């Protein structure tokens, strides 16, 4: 079982990676030269991919920031819906998750 401090360090390291990636994406988007029509069309497609990557990184950073806030509040590792402890294996896969497996978005409702 990983300590909360270890998880915090991992989340902060991932946040730093994402921040660096976002800076690279931003630099790439701003660094285009004037191109002919064909090159501009290809570049536009590339820009869309880069923008999607940037949005994905921003979303993950928000989740990490929320997880870091839960660590500071002493609430990390507990489901925000039911309050039960989140399985360690789930936290290994999704360290920023605020939900147990049962309450994760898209989880199937338990059988009764």
């Amino acid at each position: 079982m990983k300590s909360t401090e270890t998880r915090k360090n991992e989340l902060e390291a991932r946040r730093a990676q994402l921040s660096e990636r976002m800076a690279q994406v931003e630099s790439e988007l701003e660094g285009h030269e004037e191109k002919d029509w064909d090159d501009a069309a290809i570049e536009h497609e590339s820009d869309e991919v880069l923008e999607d990557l940037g949005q994905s990184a921003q979303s993950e950073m928000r989740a990490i920031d929320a997880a870091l806030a839960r660590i500071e509040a002493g609430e990390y590792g507990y489901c925000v819906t039911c309050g039960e402890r989140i399985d360690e294996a789930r936290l290994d896969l999704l360290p920023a998750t605020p939900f147990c497996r049962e309450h994760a978005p898209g989880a199937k409702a338990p059988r009764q």
Side-chain angles (χ1 to χ4, degrees), residues 24-68:
Q24 291 171 345
V25 166
E26 199 170 303
S27 175
E28 180 73 24
L29 287 171
E30 292 174 354
H32 296 303
E33 299 174 12
E34 195 64 34
K35 308 254 189 276
D36 65 24
W37 191 88
D38 288 337
D39 288 343
I42 292 168
E43 193 170 89
H44 178 71
E45 287 179 12
S46 269
D47 287 353
E48 288 177 353
V49 171
L50 287 171
E51 287 171 359
D52 287 346
L53 287 172
Q55 289 174 354
S56 175
Q58 286 177 340
S59 177
E60 188 175 347
M61 284 181 69
R62 283 190 297 272
I64 289 171
D65 288 343
L68 291 170

